[in-house]
Structure formats: C-alpha cells, structure tokens
Coordinates of all heavy atoms in Angstrom, one line a residue:
I1001 N 8.7 35.9 145.7 CA 8.3 36.1 144.3 C 8.7 35.0 143.3 O 7.9 34.5 142.6 CB 8.8 37.4 143.9 CG1 8.2 38.7 144.7 CG2 8.5 37.6 142.5 CD1 8.8 40.0 144.5
A1002 N 9.9 34.5 143.6 CA 10.4 33.4 142.8 C 9.6 32.2 143.0 O 9.3 31.4 142.1 CB 11.9 33.2 143.0
M1003 N 9.4 31.9 144.2 CA 8.5 30.7 144.7 C 7.2 30.7 144.0 O 6.6 29.8 143.4 CB 8.4 30.5 146.2 CG 9.7 30.2 146.9 SD 9.6 30.6 148.7 CE 8.4 29.3 149.1
R1004 N 6.5 31.9 144.1 CA 5.1 32.1 143.6 C 5.1 32.0 142.1 O 4.2 31.4 141.6 CB 4.5 33.4 144.1 CG 3.1 33.5 143.7 CD 2.5 34.9 144.2 NE 1.1 35.0 143.9 CZ 0.7 35.2 142.7 NH1 1.5 35.4 141.7 NH2 -0.6 35.1 142.6
D1005 N 6.2 32.5 141.5 CA 6.1 32.5 139.9 C 6.4 31.1 139.5 O 5.9 30.7 138.4 CB 7.1 33.4 139.4 CG 6.6 34.9 139.4 OD1 5.6 35.1 140.0 OD2 7.2 35.8 138.9
A1006 N 7.1 30.2 140.3 CA 7.4 28.8 139.9 C 6.1 28.1 139.9 O 5.9 27.1 139.0 CB 8.4 28.3 140.9
A1007 N 5.0 28.6 140.7 CA 3.8 27.8 140.7 C 2.9 28.1 139.5 O 1.8 27.5 139.3 CB 3.0 28.1 142.0
F1008 N 3.5 29.0 138.6 CA 2.7 29.2 137.3 C 3.5 29.0 136.2 O 3.2 29.4 135.0 CB 2.2 30.8 137.4 CG 1.3 31.0 138.5 CD1 1.7 31.5 139.8 CD2 -0.1 30.8 138.4 CE1 0.8 31.8 140.8 CE2 -1.1 30.9 139.5 CZ -0.6 31.4 140.6
E1009 N 4.7 28.2 136.3 CA 5.6 28.0 135.2 C 4.9 27.0 134.2 O 4.7 25.8 134.7 CB 6.9 27.5 135.7 CG 8.0 27.1 134.8 CD 8.3 28.1 133.9 OE1 8.7 29.2 134.2 OE2 8.1 28.1 132.6
L1010 N 4.7 27.4 133.0 CA 4.0 26.5 132.0 C 5.0 25.8 131.2 O 4.7 24.9 130.4 CB 3.1 27.4 131.3 CG 2.1 28.0 131.9 CD1 1.2 28.8 131.1 CD2 1.1 27.1 132.9
D1011 N 6.3 26.2 131.1 CA 7.2 25.8 130.1 C 8.3 24.8 130.5 O 9.0 24.3 129.7 CB 8.0 27.0 129.6 CG 7.1 28.0 128.8 OD1 6.2 27.6 128.2 OD2 7.3 29.2 129.0
K1012 N 8.3 24.4 131.8 CA 9.5 23.5 132.3 C 8.8 22.1 132.3 O 8.2 21.7 133.1 CB 10.0 23.9 133.6 CG 10.8 25.1 133.6 CD 11.6 25.3 134.8 CE 12.6 26.5 134.5 NZ 13.6 26.5 135.5
H1013 N 8.9 21.4 131.2 CA 8.5 20.1 131.0 C 9.6 19.1 131.1 O 10.7 19.3 130.7 CB 7.9 19.9 129.7 CG 6.7 20.9 129.3 ND1 5.5 21.0 130.0 CD2 6.7 22.0 128.4 CE1 4.8 21.9 129.6 NE2 5.6 22.7 128.6
S1014 N 9.4 17.9 131.8 CA 10.3 16.9 132.0 C 10.6 16.1 130.9 O 9.5 15.5 130.3 CB 9.9 16.1 133.3 OG 10.8 14.9 133.4
G1015 N 11.8 15.9 130.4 CA 12.1 14.9 129.3 C 11.6 13.4 129.6 O 10.7 13.0 128.8
P1016 N 11.9 13.0 130.8 CA 11.3 11.6 131.0 C 9.8 11.5 131.3 O 9.3 10.4 131.1 CB 12.2 11.1 132.2 CG 13.4 12.1 132.3 CD 13.0 13.4 131.7
Y1017 N 9.3 12.6 132.0 CA 7.9 12.4 132.4 C 7.0 13.5 131.7 O 5.8 13.6 132.1 CB 8.0 12.8 133.9 CG 8.9 11.9 134.7 CD1 10.0 12.3 135.3 CD2 8.6 10.6 134.9 CE1 10.9 11.5 136.1 CE2 9.4 9.5 135.5 CZ 10.5 10.0 136.0 OH 11.3 9.1 136.8
G1018 N 7.4 14.0 130.7 CA 6.4 14.7 129.9 C 6.0 16.0 130.2 O 6.8 16.7 131.2
E1019 N 5.0 16.6 129.6 CA 4.6 17.9 130.0 C 4.1 18.1 131.4 O 3.6 17.2 132.0 CB 3.5 18.4 129.0 CG 2.2 17.6 129.2 CD 1.2 18.3 128.1 OE1 0.7 19.3 128.3 OE2 0.8 17.4 127.2
N1020 N 4.3 19.3 131.9 CA 3.9 19.5 133.3 C 2.5 19.5 133.7 O 2.1 19.4 134.8 CB 4.8 20.6 133.9 CG 4.3 22.0 133.4 OD1 3.3 22.2 132.9 ND2 5.3 23.0 133.4
G1021 N 1.8 19.8 132.7 CA 0.2 19.9 133.0 C -0.2 21.2 133.8 O -1.3 21.2 134.3
M1022 N 0.7 22.0 134.0 CA 0.5 23.2 135.0 C -0.8 24.1 134.5 O -1.6 24.5 135.3 CB 1.8 24.1 135.1 CG 1.5 25.3 136.0 SD 1.2 24.5 137.6 CE 2.8 24.0 138.2
E1023 N -1.0 24.2 133.2 CA -2.2 25.0 132.9 C -3.4 24.3 133.2 O -4.5 25.0 133.6 CB -2.2 25.1 131.2 CG -2.4 23.9 130.4 CD -1.1 23.2 130.2 OE1 0.0 23.4 130.9 OE2 -1.1 22.4 129.2
Y1024 N -3.5 23.1 133.2 CA -4.7 22.3 133.9 C -4.8 22.4 135.2 O -5.8 22.7 135.9 CB -4.6 20.8 133.4 CG -4.6 20.6 131.9 CD1 -3.4 20.2 131.3 CD2 -5.6 20.8 131.2 CE1 -3.4 19.9 129.8 CE2 -5.8 20.5 129.7 CZ -4.6 20.2 129.2 OH -4.4 20.0 127.8
Y1025 N -3.7 22.3 136.0 CA -3.7 22.4 137.4 C -4.2 23.8 137.9 O -5.0 23.8 138.7 CB -2.3 22.2 137.9 CG -2.3 22.2 139.4 CD1 -2.7 21.3 140.2 CD2 -1.7 23.4 140.0 CE1 -2.7 21.3 141.6 CE2 -1.6 23.4 141.4 CZ -2.1 22.4 142.2 OH -2.0 22.5 143.6
I1026 N -3.5 24.8 137.2 CA -4.1 26.2 137.5 C -5.6 26.4 137.2 O -6.3 27.1 138.2 CB -3.2 27.2 136.8 CG1 -1.8 27.3 137.2 CG2 -3.8 28.6 136.9 CD1 -0.9 28.0 136.3
E1027 N -6.0 25.9 136.2 CA -7.5 26.1 136.0 C -8.4 25.1 136.7 O -9.4 25.6 137.1 CB -7.6 25.8 134.4 CG -9.0 25.9 133.9 CD -9.3 25.5 132.4 OE1 -8.3 25.4 131.7 OE2 -10.6 25.3 132.0
M1028 N -8.1 23.8 136.9 CA -8.9 22.9 137.5 C -8.5 22.4 139.0 O -9.2 21.5 139.5 CB -9.0 21.7 136.6 CG -9.6 22.2 135.2 SD -9.8 20.6 134.1 CE -8.3 19.7 134.2

C-alpha cells in the first residue's frame, strides 16, 4: 500500500531538480 501510494505522490518535489511532474505522468 505504501509503495502504490508513493506512485501517486504529488507533493514531494526535489529542491535541486524541481517539481516531480507526477500529475502529468499519471495523466499522460
């Protein structure tokens, strides 16, 4: 469950590498 939920995490953005882009990945 923890692993699966990590694949939908929208809020953990990297300081050095910017936003995670997960919302786009999930959609597209």
Side-chain angles (χ1 to χ4, degrees):
I1001 294 168
M1003 293 165 62
R1004 187 179 181 284
D1005 280 7
F1008 296 92
E1009 176 59 64
L1010 302 178
D1011 299 324
K1012 290 200 175 188
H1013 305 293
S1014 169
Y1017 301 112
E1019 64 180 288
N1020 64 23
M1022 185 59 75
E1023 66 274 18
Y1024 300 103
Y1025 180 77
I1026 292 168
E1027 180 183 343
M1028 304 184 302

